[in-house]
């Protein structure tokens, strides 16, 4: 049974939810560990056959710990079957919902200089009621500029869960 590591970098928990869904699918054939990027230092990456990394965007950027993790482990990541997926609200737009067309994926690939075997982009979630005051209104302004939803009393789910499942199935050995 292959041994798979899923690492997530999540600000509000949605990327973790996506990783949990991927784990459910992959665990039918693989032994899976699903951990936060903040806790992955406790894992021996050499013991895994596959490594999957999922990361979200906040204010146009991935968390710095994502790039530090990749830099620290680039050789081992390149020696394994690997995947990376980006979670961002821009991917709600059909013209920006693929690895080839998503601006954050393009920037990620340049900045990390890592070439995973599999790439994917998932639209995220806006959870206005649970954001802190400042985040709520900065994100509302960004949504107004990009013609997205701006009602701060609502939560907007853009993730295509069938696409998440299809991606996970590609990763099964």
């Amino acid at each position: 049974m292959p041994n798979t590591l899923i690492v997530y970098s999540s600000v509000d928990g949605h990327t973790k939810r996506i990783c949990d869904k991927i784990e459910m699918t992959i665990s039918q054939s693989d032994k899976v560990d699903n951990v936060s990027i903040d806790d992955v230092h406790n894992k021996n990456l050499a013991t895994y056959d596959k490594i999957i990394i999922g990361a979200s965007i906040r204010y146009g950027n991935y968390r710095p710990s994502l790039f530090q993790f990749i830099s620290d482990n680039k050789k081992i990541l390149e020696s394994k079957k690997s995947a990376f997926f980006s979670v961002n609200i821009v991917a709600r737009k059909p013209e920006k919902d693929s690895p080839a067309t998503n601006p954050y994926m393009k920037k990620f690939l340049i900045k990390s200089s890592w070439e995973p075997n599999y790439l994917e982009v998932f639209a995220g979630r806006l959870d206005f009621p649970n954001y802190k005051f400042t985040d709520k209104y900065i994100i509302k302004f960004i949504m107004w500029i990009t013609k997205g939803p701006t009602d701060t009393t609502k939560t907007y789910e853009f993730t295509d869960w069938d696409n998440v499942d299809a991606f996970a199935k590609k990763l099964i050995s």
Side-chain angles (χ1 to χ4, degrees):
M1 178 178 281
N3 200 10
T4 298
L5 176 64
I6 301 173
V7 179
Y8 59 88
S9 173
S10 188
V11 177
D12 296 311
H14 192 67
T15 302
K16 182 186 182 321
R17 285 182 58 215
I18 292 171
C19 287
D20 292 346
K21 172 70 171 154
I22 291 169
E23 178 185 8
M24 280 179 33
T25 301
I26 293 177
S27 66
Q28 297 170 19
S29 67
D30 295 13
K31 180 185 176 301
V32 180
D33 289 330
N34 185 357
V35 298
S36 167
I37 200 156
D38 300 323
D39 299 325
V40 74
H41 60 277
N42 295 325
K43 300 290 181 183
N44 178 358
L45 273 57
T47 64
Y48 294 94
D49 303 298
K50 292 182 264 187
I51 300 174
I52 303 162
I53 301 173
S56 62
I57 291 291
R58 177 59 66 93
Y59 301 133
N61 295 296
Y62 295 102
R63 293 172 58 208
S65 57
L66 171 69
F67 293 105
Q68 188 63 54
F69 174 76
I70 291 168
S71 175
D72 292 348
N73 297 288
K74 190 169 179 225
K75 282 189 178 184
I76 202 154
L77 289 169
E78 291 175 341
S79 72
K80 306 287 180 179
K81 185 175 180 181
S82 63
F84 175 77
F85 67 88
S86 176
V87 180
N88 57 79
I89 295 298
V90 170
R92 76 187 188 280
K93 298 179 177 184
E95 69 275 13
K96 295 181 181 180
D97 70 350
S98 75
T101 62
N102 188 272
Y104 297 116
M105 180 63 82
K106 290 177 183 181
K107 288 178 189 177
F108 168 81
L109 292 170
I110 291 167
K111 187 172 181 178
S112 73
S113 71
W114 169 46
E115 296 181 31
N117 302 104
Y118 300 93
L119 296 171
E120 192 54 80
V121 175
F122 302 119
R125 169 186 162 134
L126 288 175
D127 192 6
F128 282 117
N130 288 311
Y131 293 151
K132 294 177 188 170
F133 180 84
T134 306
D135 288 333
K136 182 181 296 194
Y137 290 98
I138 290 172
I139 294 169
K140 177 181 179 173
F141 180 67
I142 292 167
M143 287 296 100
W144 178 76
I145 290 171
T146 63
K147 298 180 179 24
T150 57
D151 184 343
T152 59
T153 65
K154 295 183 178 178
T155 298
Y156 301 90
E157 176 84 42
F158 298 106
T159 306
D160 180 340
W161 291 100
D162 290 336
N163 192 30
V164 172
D165 195 47
F167 177 68
K169 287 176 181 173
K170 286 183 200 176
L171 304 175
I172 294 174
S173 296

